Amino acid sequence: MAEATEDDNREEDSEESDEEEDEEPKLKYAPVTRSLLPVYRNGDATSTFIVAGDKMVMGTHNGNIHVVSLPTFQSLRVYHAHSASVTAVSISPFPPPLPNIRSDASFRRPLERRQTLERRQTAVKPTLNGTATTTSPRSTRSLLPLPPTPSNSIYIATSSIDGLVCVTSLVDAKDSTKRNFSRPIQTVALSPEYKSDRTYLSGGLAGQLILTVSGQPGTSSISTVSGGAGATASGWLGAIGLGPNVGKDTVLHSGEGAISIIKWSLSGKYVVWVNEQGIKIMRSGLYLESVDSDFAWKRISHVDRPDLPGWEEMASVWKARAEWVDETNIEADDLATTTNGTHNVGGHSPVRSQRNLTEKLVVGWGGTIWILKIYPGGAGTGKEVGERKIGHAELVTILRTDCIISGVSLYSQNVLAVLAYVSPDDEEASQSVSPSLRRRHHRENAVQPELRLINVDTKEEISADTLTVSRYETLSASDYQMGVLPDIGNKSTPTTQRGALGVLGEGFWNAAFNPASLFGSNASIRSNGSGDKDLGSSTMVSSTIGSGKAAILSSSRSSDLPLVATSTGMKIFIHSPYDCVIAMKRDLSDHLSWLDSHERYEEAWDLINEHPETVIASTDNIPLSSPTTPTRAQSSLAEFFADNSSQSTSVAHREANSTAEKEKRRIGDLWVEQLVRANEWGHAGAVCGKVLDTSTRWEHWVWIFAKNNKIEEIAPYIPTTQLNPPLPSLVYEVVLGHYVTRNRRRLKELLDQWPPELFDIPSVTSAIEAQLKTGGKGKDSDWRTLTECLAKLYFSDARYQDALRCYIRLQDADTAMELIREHHLIGDISDDIPGLILLRVSDEQMKTASLKELEDATKEPISLLVEEAHHGLVGPETVVSQLNTADLPLFLFFYLRGLWTGPHRSTLSEEGTIPTARSEKLANESRSLIEPFSDTAITLFAEYDRPLLMNFLQSSQSYTFEKASAVCEGRNYIPELVYLLSKIGQTKQALRLIIDRLQDVSQAIAFCKTQDDPDLWNDLLEDSMDKPRFIRGLLEEVGTAIDPATLVRRIPEGLEIEGLREGLSRMIREFEIQGSISSGVAKVLQSEVAVGMNELRMGRRKGIKFHMVEDESPLAEDIETQSPEPPNEVSKPLKSTPTPSEQAKPGYCPGCDLPFTEKETQTLVGFACPFNHVWHLSCLTNFNKGKGKGPNSDDDTPERELRFAVGDEEGNYDYFARSVGDKVTHARLLRERIGKGCPLCVHKDLGEAF
């Protein structure tokens, strides 16, 4: 049982370890120890450090101070300040100003020369006793000081256990002071305004918080609080001006044990220090209003140390860590809310707090963490109106951990970064340490430190990473230091779109790294040179400025430095005595690498798809060539990039996309391969449709699927659009061939989805035809599906006839009819008319459907055949013959009926009515087509449509009487027989059929009225006299067709007739009505005649004005002189085409243009038209006949009529006195010649002959 338990425990441990390995780390680490080798020379080790701005200052156990630049890690200054371990470092101002690109550019070359000289003069040289020494660079620095840029103009204060505090200027070595406090100093803090007020705070084992005002630069003095008489005297003499100014010390607080840390707030208004009793916060003497001057150096808050076991003994041993938080540079809480390893793409979301109102402080001491907020004072409110407040601190959170805190800071809004020193258990440590180490000192059992991220709200640990450092077994919690360099860059602009100007938003990390790269002609893209070429002083390489990353590497430096230089976000510096490690936030490229290494290809592919810049970011660490120098001077920073920024940015964008696409393809192939190995073919096929985008990759994977008989898994995702180059058609043909024999329904779906251009249609068609031949002739579902696919392929291949035959076999009427109409294929199926008509009629419908249903089902093909009968493509002979052969009389009836009624009247006029002439013409043409089949039509009409039979009998003349009579008699169609008998003149026999067979008196009366034959009326009366019902019908309906008296006389006496009185009354009433109507008509006619006579009389009485030309006129004399003949003998051509607007001159004939005279012999005809035209009668008659001759022209009118109308040649008539008859005849003849009025007038009603 024990063994089984141990095995189970091992399995559980292995599972837990696997889960831990599968969880993605939150931070990445870069050891930079090799970049700081000069710090560790001569066996030295770091004891404290501070990082801020673009500088990192380190103090060592040998008392040396090293100042390096960031992110290059190049040494700026090294000096020996103490004879023992340095305990603290402080700089002023804090944080220092960031480097300015333009102002620092002028100092670049002197800096490079100075660095080259320093490297030569600081080489390690052996001494006579075998130890190594470093040549002092003091003379070099005095000759070549650091450029006095704002970022370099800082003061550095260091404290040591030797009791000294050293304050020196970075740019001026002479501006330095030393002060001996005669007791070990644990911490020092420079005033933010040290340059002006020369003050700093310090504290140590003496337990005194001392405010020091430094003396003159270049002096070394003893503290006035050390208790020595010499120090007191020198201080007193300096104060009265009799000695050198050695400064002044003031004890602000004491008596509570050793002080381990002092920190000024970022605003400079508050100071925090920690002694053995707890945390103290006071108001500094800076930035006080005059009314608040009494608040200077007054304590405002106190937090007692925890009252827990072990604190009494360890309070002086545990070194407190404190950090004032700049909330404007705190990142978003992506780590606090994300637990699945995803990353915040935005990266940086600063919180804009009001620093002038509140400040946040984080203190770590022992195993406890305090988070406090300090609120400023000011004028009181409420009950405290008029009073001034010094301010107060509020304890926000207390966290207790299971470790000793060696460093603490706020990583994001609600996440703490904690450098944890874990105290090992003696037993566990003895098992984990090697046997050789067990024999050493007990202190050599320490474990590796951890960097933890803790959620402040939930008190949960987000991550804990074990750090690998040298000789960690011998180190304690106080040996580790942690500093935070916040990211102040602006991450709102996408990396691939910034260009070189993006460096301004990224802050000093790029600018200080390689300011010369800003002057390059390709600042926004990587150069194509080598990064390893020796350039003399140092090897300088430029990286992608637009992405916010840069690197300056020495050829001897570690490859981890580019990782540090190219990362974004907050950087956490961790120092042990022998190592320096930088922790950074993992970006998307790190996340991608982790996903790739853990074979999580799906997430990796999605990440690249959403953020293609992730891939190009991972290549930015490649060393590049040095930037070129500008060819001309620019007056502004914008001019540096005006010539090529947009072009280079677009080039970088194209490179990024190209690289991202290649990486997507690689990850996609790995993803598919992973699924195939796991036998997840269905999922692999779906992934292929997502990740494959080239024909070669598609072809590769399709063949793999086909080889493993998994075509069905990849077929739905094969691209249906043409790739470039296109996917071979054989791929599609293989897939379709697979479904031809296995899954016909899926085959049809693919043919509907895939454009026919993707594959070779004849190949697929041949496969389907072969399958149809081998599959038998049964019309099952597979047969229908294959036939549908075949029809679709025929249609795509422009084989419309074959496609039509397939649709007819399938009885797909809609598609077949559409195909016939669009491609005019009616002639191609003329040998299968029954199949066309029965497209929508199934076998079951043939047995059970009604006539109306069958008519609706065949309406469209019948109409098409009727239309084609007019065009001559498929004549009626073909249709009738095939339908008779197929024994389909009903559908033959539909066809003949369509021919008789004509094609669909689809041609409408604009008003929506059918043009009468066109419709009649079409109907007549259609009816003429049925003449050869009239007897067949009679038989079918008699069987299926009797009303149409009567219409056909009445309208057609092409049928045979015998056939029609036999059909009607056989079916006992009496009305049709009556019509046929009457048509051949056998009216009496027809009447006899109506009386005997129909016994319909109304029809008999109507028949007699139609024939209008007195003999028929007599026959009707004779046959009706013994039928009382007929007699009554005659009385009621005969009307005026026969003499009522005759009808009444012929009624037999004594015959009882029901309704006789009513019949007689009705007949008499009809006669009365008829008489009344006739009388009324006569009166109307009489009144109209009277009106017409009155108009005639008035017209005749109306006078017409004639203009006569007198004989004395010159015109008349000319006429008599020139033409002694009478006017009617003068031949003058008439106007050929007179217009209605022409007006004859008064006194002239419009026809011959001759004047009228008093001796006029011809009859003159005047019109009451608007122009009062007057004509010679002969001119008027000739003009109406269209002859262009004068009044003596010949006329073809008979002499008799001419004499009556116009007289003889001399104008004399053949009668002396006219009678009434002659007058009427003369008026009639004149009326015929004249017409309806004056011929020159447009409207016929404007003139009337007089």
Side-chain angles (χ1 to χ4, degrees):
M1 293 294 293
E3 294 179 357
T5 304
E6 291 178 0
D7 294 338
D8 294 340
N9 293 335
R10 292 194 191 97
E11 292 179 359
E12 293 178 359
D13 294 341
S14 62
E15 291 178 358
E16 292 178 358
S17 62
D18 292 341
E19 292 178 359
E20 292 177 357
E21 291 179 359
D22 290 339
E23 183 178 356
E24 182 179 2
K26 303 299 185 295
L27 300 172
K28 61 182 177 181
Y29 299 87
V32 293
T33 304
R34 296 191 60 185
S35 300
L36 301 173
L37 289 179
V39 178
Y40 305 107
R41 287 175 180 169
N42 302 327
D44 204 355
T46 58
S47 58
T48 186
F49 85 104
I50 188 171
V51 59
D54 63 336
K55 307 289 190 300
M56 181 169 67
V57 183
M58 295 165 286
T60 69
H61 285 287
N62 290 340
N64 297 321
I65 308 299
H66 297 263
V67 183
V68 298
S69 65
L70 297 177
T72 63
F73 291 93
Q74 289 188 345
S75 178
L76 298 179
R77 185 176 177 185
V78 179
Y79 59 94
H80 186 75
H82 302 278
S83 60
S85 298
V86 179
T87 57
V89 179
S90 177
I91 61 175
S92 176
F94 183 87
L98 297 178
N100 182 278
I101 300 172
R102 294 183 59 84
S103 62
D104 290 356
S106 59
F107 302 104
R108 186 174 62 257
R109 291 194 176 276
L111 175 62
E112 294 175 357
R113 291 195 301 268
R114 185 183 64 80
Q115 292 172 344
T116 303
L117 186 58
E118 285 180 356
R119 281 198 301 272
R120 295 174 179 174
Q121 296 187 359
T122 57
V124 179
K125 297 182 180 180
T127 59
L128 294 177
N129 57 3
T131 61
T133 61
T134 303
T135 305
S136 175
R138 292 182 180 178
S139 59
T140 304
R141 290 189 183 83
S142 62
L143 297 175
L144 296 173
L146 285 174
T149 61
S151 60
N152 290 335
S153 300
I154 62 174
Y155 287 87
I156 302 173
T158 57
S159 62
S160 174
I161 60 176
D162 62 3
L164 296 179
V165 172
C166 178
V167 182
T168 183
S169 171
L170 179 62
V171 297
D172 186 3
K174 295 180 179 180
D175 187 4
S176 63
T177 60
K178 278 189 178 182
R179 200 165 189 84
N180 189 352
F181 289 88
S182 302
R183 293 288 300 273
I185 302 299
Q186 298 288 338
T187 180
V188 64
L190 284 177
S191 168
E193 302 293 337
Y194 179 83
K195 186 176 181 180
S196 58
D197 60 21
R198 313 292 290 184
T199 61
Y200 60 86
L201 295 170
S202 62
L205 297 180
Q208 296 177 328
L209 178 65
I210 302 173
L211 174 65
T212 302
V213 179
S214 298
Q216 295 178 355
T219 61
S220 178
S221 58
I222 301 175
S223 172
T224 57
V225 298
S226 61
T232 304
S234 61
W236 178 76
L237 293 175
I240 63 176
L242 298 178
N245 182 9
V246 295
K248 177 184 178 183
D249 299 314
T250 304
V251 177
L252 300 179
H253 183 271
S254 63
E256 293 186 357
I259 298 175
S260 58
I261 191 170
I262 304 172
K263 281 285 185 85
W264 290 74
S265 69
L266 298 177
S267 65
K269 296 181 179 180
Y270 307 100
V271 174
V272 61
W273 76 96
V274 180
N275 56 30
E276 297 180 16
Q277 299 301 318
I279 304 169
K280 311 294 191 296
I281 302 174
M282 69 166 52
R283 181 65 169 89
S284 71
L286 299 179
Y287 316 120
L288 282 171
E289 299 180 7
S290 58
V291 295
D292 296 332
S293 59
D294 294 339
F295 294 157
W297 310 114
K298 295 293 182 66
R299 192 171 69 181
I300 63 174
S301 182
H302 168 77
V303 179
D304 291 332
R305 70 184 185 193
D307 188 13
L308 296 174
W311 273 89
E312 183 69 28
E313 299 81 7
M314 301 301 295
S316 60
V317 178
W318 292 333
K319 184 176 181 180
R321 319 288 177 160
E323 187 79 21
W324 292 93
V325 178
D326 184 2
E327 293 187 276
T328 60
N329 292 323
I330 293 298
E331 297 185 351
D333 284 336
D334 55 330
L335 293 180
T337 58
T338 303
T339 59
N340 58 358
T342 58
H343 286 250
N344 182 14
V345 177
H348 187 82
S349 178
V351 179
R352 300 296 180 184
S353 62
Q354 299 180 2
R355 289 180 52 186
N356 59 337
L357 297 180
T358 62
E359 295 193 64
K360 183 176 287 188
L361 173 66
V362 180
V363 179
W365 188 16
T368 306
I369 301 173
W370 294 266
I371 300 178
L372 301 96
K373 278 190 176 181
I374 292 82
Y375 295 90
T381 58
K383 296 180 180 180
E384 299 177 352
V385 172
E387 298 180 2
R388 301 291 297 179
K389 289 181 150 186
I390 191 174
H392 68 282
E394 177 184 342
L395 182 60
V396 178
T397 304
I398 298 179
L399 296 177
R400 289 186 172 86
T401 65
D402 59 350
C403 62
I404 300 175
I405 298 169
S406 297
V408 66
S409 182
L410 200 61
Y411 182 78
S412 65
Q413 297 178 27
N414 292 305
V415 176
L416 285 172
V418 178
L419 180 59
Y421 178 85
V422 181
S423 299
D425 184 74
D426 294 339
E427 182 178 355
E428 294 180 358
S430 63
Q431 296 176 0
S432 61
V433 179
S434 61
S436 61
L437 294 177
R438 292 176 190 173
R439 295 189 295 268
R440 298 181 184 177
H441 193 270
H442 180 69
R443 185 180 178 184
E444 298 178 352
N445 64 350
V447 297
Q448 294 170 302
E450 296 178 356
L451 181 59
R452 300 178 179 179
L453 297 179
I454 301 175
N455 191 321
V456 177
D457 296 332
T458 62
K459 311 294 191 297
E460 294 180 356
E461 186 179 276
I462 298 175
S463 69
D465 299 332
T466 302
L467 305 179
T468 301
V469 295
S470 301
R471 291 174 270 183
Y472 65 88
E473 300 90 346
T474 62
L475 302 179
S476 64
S478 60
D479 292 325
Y480 296 102
Q481 312 286 330
M482 188 181 84
V484 173
L485 188 64
D487 180 24
I488 61 174
N490 182 8
K491 306 295 191 304
S492 61
T493 305
T495 300
T496 57
Q497 299 179 1
R498 293 183 193 173
L501 284 172
V503 72
L504 300 179
E506 294 294 338
F508 83 92
W509 198 254
N510 289 325
F513 179 77
N514 189 3
S517 63
L518 294 176
F519 299 89
S521 59
N522 291 311
S524 62
I525 61 172
R526 294 195 303 270
S527 303
N528 294 323
S530 171
D532 297 329
K533 185 177 179 181
D534 190 4
L535 300 179
S537 61
S538 64
T539 302
M540 304 176 67
V541 295
S542 65
S543 181
T544 305
I545 299 299
S547 62
K549 303 163 185 175
I552 299 180
L553 304 177
S554 174
S555 59
S556 62
R557 298 295 171 86
S558 170
S559 61
D560 292 324
L561 194 54
L563 178 62
V564 178
T566 56
S567 65
T568 58
M570 177 183 290
K571 295 173 179 60
I572 303 174
F573 289 75
I574 302 167
H575 273 266
S576 74
Y578 315 107
D579 291 287
C580 178
V581 180
I582 301 180
M584 296 154 288
K585 180 180 179 180
R586 294 174 62 87
D587 55 17
L588 292 178
S589 60
D590 300 309
H591 183 48
L592 176 62
S593 300
W594 184 86
L595 294 174
D596 189 5
S597 62
H598 286 73
E599 297 185 356
R600 297 171 66 168
Y601 300 120
E602 180 178 3
E603 298 177 43
W605 192 91
D606 291 337
L607 178 62
I608 300 175
N609 188 49
E610 295 177 4
H611 305 287
E613 69 276 4
T614 303
V615 178
I616 195 64
S618 63
T619 64
D620 286 337
N621 297 338
I622 303 174
L624 305 167
S625 63
S626 59
T628 59
T629 56
T631 56
R632 60 183 177 88
Q634 290 91 356
S635 59
S636 65
L637 187 60
E639 295 181 5
F640 293 158
F641 317 105
D643 55 343
N644 57 12
S645 61
S646 60
Q647 176 183 359
S648 55
T649 302
S650 62
V651 173
H653 184 67
R654 289 195 298 269
E655 290 183 357
N657 287 339
S658 176
T659 306
E661 290 301 322
K662 291 179 181 178
E663 185 66 10
K664 279 178 63 177
R665 295 189 186 104
R666 185 187 71 84
I667 295 295
D669 284 333
L670 292 174
W671 185 8
V672 177
E673 185 178 349
Q674 181 187 51
L675 295 173
V676 168
R677 288 198 307 269
N679 204 27
E680 298 180 12
W681 293 95
H683 191 191
V687 172
C688 286
K690 184 177 182 180
V691 304
L692 302 183
D693 57 358
T694 62
S695 58
T696 54
R697 298 171 69 209
W698 266 112
E699 186 177 3
H700 167 75
W701 284 109
V702 168
W703 294 136
I704 290 179
F705 276 72
K707 182 179 178 180
N708 291 272
N709 197 23
K710 300 294 182 180
I711 289 181
E712 296 183 2
E713 282 74 10
I714 197 173
Y717 309 102
I718 296 178
T720 58
T721 57
Q722 286 287 0
L723 300 175
N724 189 17
L727 192 62
S729 62
L730 182 60
V731 173
Y732 299 96
E733 295 163 16
V734 169
V735 175
L736 294 175
H738 170 82
Y739 286 111
V740 167
T741 58
R742 290 173 175 81
N743 190 339
R744 280 78 178 213
R745 185 178 298 276
R746 182 57 184 159
L747 171 67
K748 184 176 182 297
E749 293 175 357
L750 290 181
L751 289 178
D752 292 338
Q753 296 173 5
W754 289 357
E757 298 82 8
L758 297 176
F759 51 87
D760 183 34
I761 296 177
S763 300
V764 184
T765 302
S766 300
I768 296 177
E769 290 173 346
Q771 187 66 26
L772 286 173
K773 291 178 182 179
T774 59
K777 297 183 179 180
K779 295 186 178 181
D780 55 1
S781 60
D782 284 345
W783 175 88
R784 289 191 60 85
T785 304
L786 286 176
T787 306
E788 289 176 0
C789 296
L790 189 61
K792 182 176 180 63
L793 291 173
Y794 282 148
F795 181 83
S796 301
D797 202 22
R799 297 170 59 180
Y800 303 119
Q801 296 86 353
D802 296 332
L804 178 59
R805 295 184 185 279
C806 290
Y807 288 123
I808 291 176
R809 288 198 297 270
L810 292 167
Q811 290 188 320
D812 188 352
D814 295 333
T815 307
M817 296 306 300
E818 182 181 0
L819 199 62
I820 291 171
R821 293 185 184 278
E822 288 185 358
H823 300 281
H824 308 288
L825 301 178
I826 188 65
D828 297 319
I829 58 170
S830 59
D831 57 345
D832 190 14
I833 299 301
L836 175 63
I837 294 177
L838 297 178
L839 278 174
R840 289 192 174 91
V841 181
S842 63
D843 296 338
E844 185 66 24
Q845 286 180 311
M846 288 290 292
K847 298 176 183 179
T848 60
S850 63
L851 183 64
K852 177 63 176 175
E853 292 176 352
L854 293 175
E855 180 182 1
D856 294 338
T858 59
K859 183 177 181 180
E860 187 175 4
I862 292 294
S863 300
L864 179 62
L865 290 173
V866 171
E867 291 177 1
E868 295 300 330
H870 290 269
H871 302 155
L873 295 177
V874 181
E877 298 82 4
T878 304
V879 179
V880 173
S881 174
Q882 294 189 28
L883 292 178
N884 281 329
T885 303
D887 192 19
L888 298 173
L890 175 61
F891 304 106
L892 180 57
F893 158 71
F894 292 150
Y895 176 70
L896 294 177
R897 183 183 61 179
L899 289 178
W900 179 251
T901 57
H904 292 293
R905 296 177 175 86
S906 58
T907 304
L908 300 178
S909 64
E910 293 181 358
E911 293 77 14
T913 60
I914 302 175
T916 304
R918 180 174 177 81
S919 62
E920 289 181 356
K921 181 180 179 181
L922 292 175
N924 293 333
E925 291 178 357
S926 180
R927 291 181 178 185
S928 65
L929 296 175
I930 205 176
E931 290 180 357
F933 317 101
S934 297
D935 293 342
T936 304
I938 288 177
T939 302
L940 296 174
F941 292 167
E943 182 176 358
Y944 297 109
D945 195 345
R946 185 175 176 181
L948 184 61
L949 173 63
M950 178 60 77
N951 177 267
F952 182 76
L953 294 174
Q954 293 174 351
S955 304
S956 177
Q957 303 295 330
S958 60
Y959 58 88
T960 59
F961 175 77
E962 293 77 7
K963 178 67 175 179
S965 299
V967 171
C968 294
E969 189 172 357
R971 294 184 176 275
N972 198 23
Y973 288 171
I974 303 303
E976 289 78 4
L977 278 174
V978 170
Y979 172 76
L980 290 174
L981 292 173
S982 64
K983 187 175 183 180
I984 62 175
Q986 298 181 12
T987 55
K988 291 185 178 182
Q989 186 179 354
L991 180 61
R992 179 64 59 187
L993 287 174
I994 296 174
I995 296 173
D996 297 340
R997 302 284 293 275
L998 296 178
Q999 296 182 359
D1000 189 348
V1001 64
S1002 298
Q1003 187 173 350
I1005 294 172
F1007 180 75
C1008 291
K1009 288 181 178 180
T1010 304
Q1011 300 299 322
D1012 195 17
D1013 186 359
D1015 293 337
L1016 284 179
W1017 283 110
N1018 290 329
D1019 294 341
L1020 177 60
L1021 291 177
E1022 290 177 1
D1023 294 337
S1024 301
M1025 289 303 102
D1026 59 347
K1027 301 177 180 64
R1029 186 170 60 83
F1030 271 62
I1031 295 174
R1032 180 181 176 181
L1034 288 171
L1035 292 175
E1036 292 178 352
E1037 299 182 20
V1038 72
T1040 59
I1042 59 176
D1043 187 4
T1046 303
L1047 174 61
V1048 173
R1049 290 191 190 101
R1050 300 188 66 167
I1051 299 175
E1053 294 182 4
L1055 182 65
E1056 184 178 353
I1057 302 173
E1058 183 180 356
L1060 177 61
R1061 182 187 302 275
E1062 289 81 4
L1064 290 173
S1065 300
R1066 183 173 180 179
M1067 182 180 64
I1068 294 172
R1069 191 182 307 112
E1070 287 184 0
F1071 268 92
E1072 290 177 352
I1073 292 173
Q1074 186 68 30
S1076 176
I1077 293 173
S1078 300
S1079 175
V1081 171
K1083 290 180 180 180
V1084 171
L1085 292 176
Q1086 186 178 1
S1087 61
E1088 289 181 355
V1089 170
V1091 172
M1093 291 300 294
N1094 289 333
E1095 291 180 357
L1096 179 60
R1097 293 190 188 97
M1098 292 298 293
R1100 289 181 175 180
R1101 292 175 182 176
K1102 183 179 180 181
I1104 300 298
K1105 183 178 180 180
F1106 290 87
H1107 294 272
M1108 310 300 291
V1109 179
E1110 297 181 357
D1111 294 340
E1112 301 81 32
S1113 64
L1115 180 60
E1117 294 178 356
D1118 294 339
I1119 293 175
E1120 292 178 355
T1121 303
Q1122 296 175 6
S1123 179
E1125 298 180 358
N1128 60 344
E1129 297 179 358
V1130 177
S1131 177
K1132 184 177 181 181
L1134 294 175
K1135 297 179 181 178
S1136 60
T1137 54
T1139 61
S1141 61
E1142 293 179 352
Q1143 298 185 21
K1145 292 182 293 184
Y1148 288 80
C1149 174
C1152 59
D1153 287 340
L1154 295 178
F1156 303 124
T1157 63
E1158 294 180 356
K1159 300 178 180 181
E1160 191 68 53
T1161 59
Q1162 284 201 64
T1163 300
L1164 301 179
V1165 181
F1167 294 92
C1169 63
F1171 307 107
N1172 293 325
H1173 291 147
V1174 180
W1175 294 70
H1176 290 115
L1177 180 59
S1178 59
C1179 294
L1180 181 61
T1181 56
N1182 290 332
F1183 184 87
N1184 287 335
K1185 292 181 179 180
K1187 295 183 179 181
K1189 298 181 180 180
N1192 60 348
S1193 62
D1194 296 335
D1195 196 341
D1196 57 356
T1197 307
E1199 295 182 0
R1200 178 72 178 174
E1201 294 182 1
L1202 183 60
R1203 287 198 302 270
F1204 272 107
V1206 296
D1208 56 12
E1209 295 179 355
E1210 296 180 357
N1212 300 318
Y1213 296 91
D1214 61 348
Y1215 56 90
F1216 179 75
R1218 296 181 181 179
S1219 63
V1220 175
D1222 293 336
K1223 291 180 179 180
V1224 173
T1225 302
H1226 184 261
R1228 181 182 64 79
L1229 293 175
L1230 284 177
R1231 187 68 178 178
E1232 291 178 356
R1233 296 297 180 269
I1234 293 172
K1236 296 182 179 181
C1238 177
L1240 291 183
C1241 297
V1242 177
H1243 302 289
K1244 59 184 179 180
D1245 296 330
L1246 291 179
E1248 186 176 353
F1250 172 71

